[in-house]
Amino acid sequence: MIFRRRVLALAVIVSWLTVSVVSAQSSAPTQGGQSPERRKTSEPYTGDLSIFESPGRDQRLQVNRVMDILGITPGKTVADIGAGSGWFTVRAARRVGDRGVVYAVDINPESIRYVDNRRRKEKLHNVKTILGKAEDPVLPADTVDSVLLLKTYHEVAEPVALLRKLRAALRPGARVGIIDRNGNGEDHGVNRDVVLHEASEAGYRLLEQYDFVKGDKMDYFLVFTQQQ
């Protein structure tokens, strides 16, 4: 009887250790200390939006080259996710012309009001604003040719969910660009490998990657399309 009790107790201890090891492995952080279930993100910017209009930003970010790579040409439909002040929205709107459309998407109502005022002031009739959600850009289905998340991805609280919802809005062959910088998620950056993993999980494949954005080589530019 004593022997059987000792065997039973040993079995319970082994079972508990197995569960503990599996639990620890499932919650182990990925590269950069980020959990695969829910990584850290930076607090979305809610300050003065005019800071994004600094002189020379076009040249520093090589925005025309970025638009060339994303296939932003006259007549195309573009989504600027995390539009902020509309800095990229305005440049994309001028590139696509009257036959094109640019959706300025942001989860901050103040950003939407700012871009609305700006498009009226600058007479950009091809710009449409959308108040998005953390997990959904709320874009119309099968409309978008090109997407850019410019220095925004590290603020996205539900990145995989957002990218999955985005897929419904994309036309065949649409290009999705993400420009960000390496970081731990909460320092206004997110590691390139994390973005690659999350995009793959959401159903995208990497087409191209660049490091020409900004001369310090700290920023990366990833271009994705939907997996077939």
Side-chain angles (χ1 to χ4, degrees):
M1 179 65 72
I2 294 175
F3 177 74
R4 288 181 178 177
R5 287 178 179 174
R6 287 177 176 174
V7 169
L8 179 60
L10 181 60
V12 170
I13 292 172
V14 170
S15 177
W16 178 82
L17 288 173
T18 301
V19 170
S20 298
V21 169
V22 171
S23 176
Q25 288 175 341
S26 65
S27 62
T30 59
Q31 182 178 0
Q34 296 165 332
S35 168
E37 288 81 16
R38 180 122 184 185
R39 65 168 168 81
K40 296 177 181 179
T41 56
S42 301
E43 195 69 26
Y45 181 77
T46 56
D48 180 11
L49 293 170
S50 67
I51 68 166
F52 298 110
E53 306 301 318
S54 59
R57 195 179 186 205
D58 291 61
Q59 288 71 36
R60 289 195 302 273
L61 295 182
Q62 300 191 50
V63 67
N64 286 322
R65 187 177 176 187
V66 167
M67 288 194 285
D68 288 343
I69 290 169
L70 291 177
I72 298 175
T73 56
K76 297 292 186 178
T77 298
V78 179
D80 179 10
I81 298 179
S85 69
W87 182 86
F88 179 71
T89 294
V90 168
R91 284 150 181 81
R94 291 169 180 158
R95 176 75 79 98
V96 301
D98 292 338
R99 295 184 294 109
V101 176
V102 178
Y103 292 107
V105 182
D106 208 289
I107 63 171
N108 181 4
E110 181 56 36
S111 290
I112 297 301
R113 286 190 289 269
Y114 192 99
V115 176
D116 275 333
N117 290 333
R118 184 170 187 176
R119 68 181 176 84
R120 284 192 290 267
K121 182 178 178 180
E122 300 186 31
K123 295 182 173 56
L124 296 171
H125 305 296
N126 58 353
V127 171
K128 299 180 180 181
T129 54
I130 295 177
L131 182 62
K133 302 176 183 178
E135 76 289 352
D136 189 351
V138 199
L139 287 158
D142 194 28
T143 57
V144 178
D145 301 297
S146 306
V147 180
L148 182 62
L149 289 87
L150 175 60
K151 302 297 187 69
T152 298
Y153 194 81
H154 59 265
E155 296 180 357
V156 178
E158 302 288 346
V160 175
L162 179 84
L163 291 174
R164 283 176 177 158
K165 291 282 188 179
L166 173 62
R167 291 183 63 184
L170 301 178
R171 288 177 174 155
R175 291 188 161 215
V176 178
I178 296 176
I179 294 176
D180 222 299
R181 64 191 295 119
N182 286 305
N184 64 14
E186 59 184 353
D187 61 352
H188 300 288
V190 57
N191 284 341
R192 179 194 307 242
D193 289 346
V194 173
V195 181
L196 293 172
H197 172 76
E198 290 173 347
S200 177
E201 186 178 347
Y204 295 81
R205 63 182 177 88
L206 181 68
L207 283 178
E208 301 161 8
Q209 55 183 320
Y210 304 91
D211 64 359
F212 67 80
V213 182
K214 295 187 71 173
D216 58 11
K217 304 294 184 182
M218 292 291 291
D219 293 352
Y220 53 80
F221 176 26
L222 307 177
V223 182
F224 300 93
T225 192
Q226 293 190 80
Q227 293 176 3
Q228 299 299 319

